[in-house]
Each structure stands twice: as C-alpha cells, then as structure tokens.
Amino acid sequence: MPKIKTHSGAKKRFKLTKTGKVKRSHAFTSHILTKKTTKRKRGLRAGAYADETNAATVKRLIPYK
C-alpha cells in the first residue's frame, strides 16, 4: 500500500486533538486590522474547532497527524 500525501495547506492550518477533534484558528487576523474593534480582534485570537460536517474531510487531508 503506498503512502498518502499530506495536503500542504491543511497541515499548516489544522491540528488534531487527543480526542480526535480538528482544531483551527480564525481567519481575518493578518491585515486591515485598524477598522476591526479590539474586542473582535481579541476574540479572533482564540482557537476554534472545525465543524463536524468538515472534520472528516480535513482528517483525510492530514492522515499522519
């Protein structure tokens, strides 16, 4: 059986927790930050979990994580 290639973009963006959930970070944090409120930017710093509907797809992209 050949090895499966890991998706380069996905390995930079997602991590798996010990229970198997897919951890992700929020978007909209890199630039154009002056118009965003401090409260909004602070909220975007916190991590989040990928939705269950997308979790299986992401796990397929990062088979060895």
Side-chain angles (χ1 to χ4, degrees):
M1 198 71 189
K3 293 184 200 172
I4 304 165
K5 283 198 174 180
T6 301
H7 191 281
S8 297
K11 74 181 175 191
K12 296 167 191 170
R13 289 173 173 83
F14 302 105
K15 297 218 175 352
L16 287 180
T17 62
K18 199 164 188 175
T19 56
K21 287 182 180 176
V22 179
K23 218 162 90 170
R24 66 170 179 87
S25 58
H26 284 103
F28 309 110
T29 57
S30 56
H31 61 100
I32 317 174
L33 298 170
T34 50
K35 63 175 80 167
K36 292 168 189 150
T37 63
T38 310
K39 183 180 178 180
R40 182 176 164 193
K41 288 186 281 192
R42 192 167 58 243
L44 290 171
R45 258 186 253 144
Y49 293 109
D51 194 69
E52 287 301 315
T53 55
N54 302 320
T57 310
V58 174
K59 283 180 188 177
R60 217 173 298 132
L61 295 172
I62 47 172
Y64 303 109
K65 263 205 169 181

